[in-house]
Amino acid sequence: MTAGRPNRRQFLSAAAIGIAAPIVLRGTMAMAAQPVTVNIRNGVLRGAQRSGALSFKGIPYAASTAGANRFKAPQPVVDWTGERDASQYGSLSPQINTGMSGEIFQWYNQHEPLGEDCCVLNVFTPDLKTDAMRPVIFYIHGGGYINGGGGGVGLDGSNLARYGDVVVVTINHRLNAFGYTNLSHLDPENFGDAANAGNLDIVAALEWVRDNITVFGGDPGSVTVFGQSGGGSKIMTLLAMPRAQGLFHKAISMSGAAGLNVDPAKDMEPYVNTLIKELGVDPKNLAAMQQIPFQAVLDARSRAVTASFEGARPVIDGKHIVTRPMTPEGLAMHANVPLLLGSTKTEASLFFQTDMRNFNLDEDKMRVRMRSAFTIDDAKIDAIMAAYRQDTPTMTASDILVAVASDVQFRRPLTAAAEMKSAAGQAPVYMYNFTWTIPWDDGVLGSPHAVDIPFAFGNANEAGEMTGRGDDAMETAMNMMSAFVNFARTGNPNNDRMPEWKPYDADTRVSMMINARCEAASDWRGEARRAIADLTIDPFNRAALYRYEF
């Protein structure tokens, strides 16, 4: 144990920190919620106090996006009179799927109604001391740019707020066709903001934090954005948004590799043209799209998305997103923003889970999949297998396929981003690798995509069907929260629960292996990193990588 590192027993007896006991006792001695009010700029909110934390949910940070506001930049909230109920999560952006299937992901799924009044956020805080000036940790949910939301059991910010003495904010925003439909080539005057409306919602939520968070005990001058998968990708695009500059001061991207490769707006034009055709709208009268029921828009989007036309995502429109985040111009925009980038050890196992036969491939079947997905020959596959087995000789054929898919799609691009940030001589960048193995089905999934979310929120017990429960799960959660909280507080994730964590650079390549016992690893899987350095995968052929076809 690292010198000075608090252990579980010390946490259980430390009432001021208080996370361990509530996690252990939740569900058996839960306290009844008590109402509590707070006055923000738009009016009075009535939230709830439970188990040592306050929560205010479903707070509007922008007006409804329905009707004339659809495909437009977010509009201001109208003030209200009396107390507004803030005890329940608000509407989710219209979407096809609101969660992931299977009992192990019940913590992730959300059941709020769909609606275009979806520009809402949730605040979790230890108390309402306006002079507390706590760091603000602002979470952007995953689900790509297509689905998801900021509520549910797994994203409850109470444990993280108590543990770190921070203010936690989670948000909903517009997604898919409603948040990312580039109409600027057809009507730039009236719909020039539609391409990145979802990101503009996030900026509006950050502006709300700037203007209101002090009354919740937060410091608007110390805001850390963090998010997983699609949320982490949105954070990378925020780095290249002029309007977002100064609204956040540190950034944590968890598995957010997709946001590194933002494409020009014109690349979305074929999809948008097809969407408009499916809706039966005259391209010269786009206002008609604002009156179509949202379910009809979702259905048309599903028809428009094909192997040739990828669906909605942020684009470089030259107005709101001006470049990719790791270009020289992009790096200059976030020169003073420390970054923390990370991935899980076996990200891709989540996607292979659609057919469990993928975890019992023999070598011949693995080679077929590798040749098809990456367009490589058997000699290259031999070299890759040897490189991965140099570190772990017992890796099976399926293990290697999962590792290569995970590294190519997540760890490698994030590592490249860390190298560019480090080489620019800017604010530091740190890297982590989350290695907790989930016990489900004898650990076959390893550390899948999204497993780090409940640990970052201190909700491992609430997600116990996936994460497992017990002392080691709690230790892992405290390790991760300690790193994230210290990073939010100082821009440096070092804490007395972990070994020394040096910034990432191309010489030492230090990553923190986060588990119940953490390890600072230098150039983890270095041979494998070199062996896959030139692998590429066509995004339109990605599904074939995970599909069992034998």
Side-chain angles (χ1 to χ4, degrees), residues 145-186:
Y145 305 110
I146 306 304
N147 55 31
V153 173
L155 301 186
D156 186 298
S158 301
N159 287 335
L160 178 57
R162 281 198 310 272
Y163 179 87
D165 194 30
V166 296
V167 177
V168 179
V169 177
T170 67
I171 70 167
N172 292 356
H173 67 93
R174 282 176 287 180
L175 300 163
N176 54 73
F178 303 93
Y180 302 100
T181 296
N182 175 31
L183 300 172
S184 59
H185 65 296
L186 299 172

Side-chain angles (χ1 to χ4, degrees), residues 240-486:
M241 289 188 72
R243 278 192 58 185
Q245 305 305 298
L247 295 175
F248 65 92
H249 313 93
K250 309 166 197 77
I252 304 171
S253 178
M254 308 161 65
S255 309
L260 296 168
N261 296 314
V262 193
D263 292 324
K266 64 180 180 60
D267 288 5
M268 288 292 101
E269 291 178 10
Y271 153 73
V272 171
N273 293 339
T274 303
L275 173 65
I276 291 170
K277 182 178 180 180
E278 291 290 344
L279 288 169
V281 171
D282 183 347
K284 296 180 180 179
N285 181 27
L286 296 182
M289 294 175 64
Q290 296 175 315
Q291 305 307 318
I292 297 173
F294 73 70
Q295 187 58 54
V297 177
L298 289 173
D299 293 342
R301 181 199 168 274
S302 295
R303 296 191 298 271
V305 175
T306 67
S308 300
F309 299 144
E310 186 179 354
R313 65 175 187 264
V315 294
I316 298 172
D317 59 1
K319 178 181 180 182
H320 298 302
I321 299 178
V322 297
T323 185
R324 290 183 173 182
M326 294 302 162
T327 63
E329 182 183 4
L331 286 163
M333 293 178 69
H334 56 87
N336 297 321
V337 178
L339 300 185
L340 176 56
L341 310 177
S343 57
T344 68
K345 185 177 180 180
T346 57
E347 295 268 8
S349 63
L350 174 66
F351 313 113
F352 284 108
Q353 187 201 3
T354 56
D355 192 322
M356 295 303 291
R357 292 176 295 178
N358 286 323
F359 298 101
N360 291 292
L361 298 178
D362 60 28
E363 187 174 310
D364 288 342
K365 289 183 173 63
M366 180 270 284
R367 286 177 179 273
V368 169
R369 201 81 65 91
M370 293 272 279
R371 286 194 295 265
S372 173
F374 301 110
T375 318
I376 55 178
D377 59 21
D378 281 321
K380 179 66 171 178
I381 296 172
D382 288 340
I384 290 171
M385 291 173 64
Y388 276 90
R389 283 175 173 161
Q390 179 169 314
D391 286 332
T392 311
T394 58
M395 290 185 80
T396 66
S398 289
D399 291 339
I400 291 173
L401 183 63
V402 170
V404 172
S406 301
D407 291 349
V408 169
Q409 294 183 79
F410 293 96
R411 185 168 178 80
R412 189 182 69 183
L414 289 169
T415 299
E419 290 177 5
M420 287 183 274
K421 175 79 169 178
S422 174
Q426 303 179 341
V429 56
Y430 298 86
M431 289 205 72
Y432 75 83
N433 187 20
F434 190 79
T435 64
W436 175 266
T437 297
I438 69 172
W440 181 80
D441 201 4
D442 296 324
V444 66
L445 296 185
S447 310
H449 188 70
V451 67
D452 46 352
I453 299 173
F455 289 94
F457 277 87
N459 294 333
N461 267 17
E462 287 77 358
E465 294 298 327
M466 180 183 73
T467 63
R469 299 178 175 88
D471 291 359
D472 282 350
M474 187 183 298
E475 290 288 337
T476 304
M478 291 191 291
N479 287 340
M480 193 159 201
M481 287 188 293
S482 294
F484 281 18
V485 166
N486 272 24

Side-chain angles (χ1 to χ4, degrees), residues 18 81 107 110 113 245 417 547:
T81 58
W107 62 270
Q110 299 173 49
Q245 305 305 298
R547 194 163 50 237

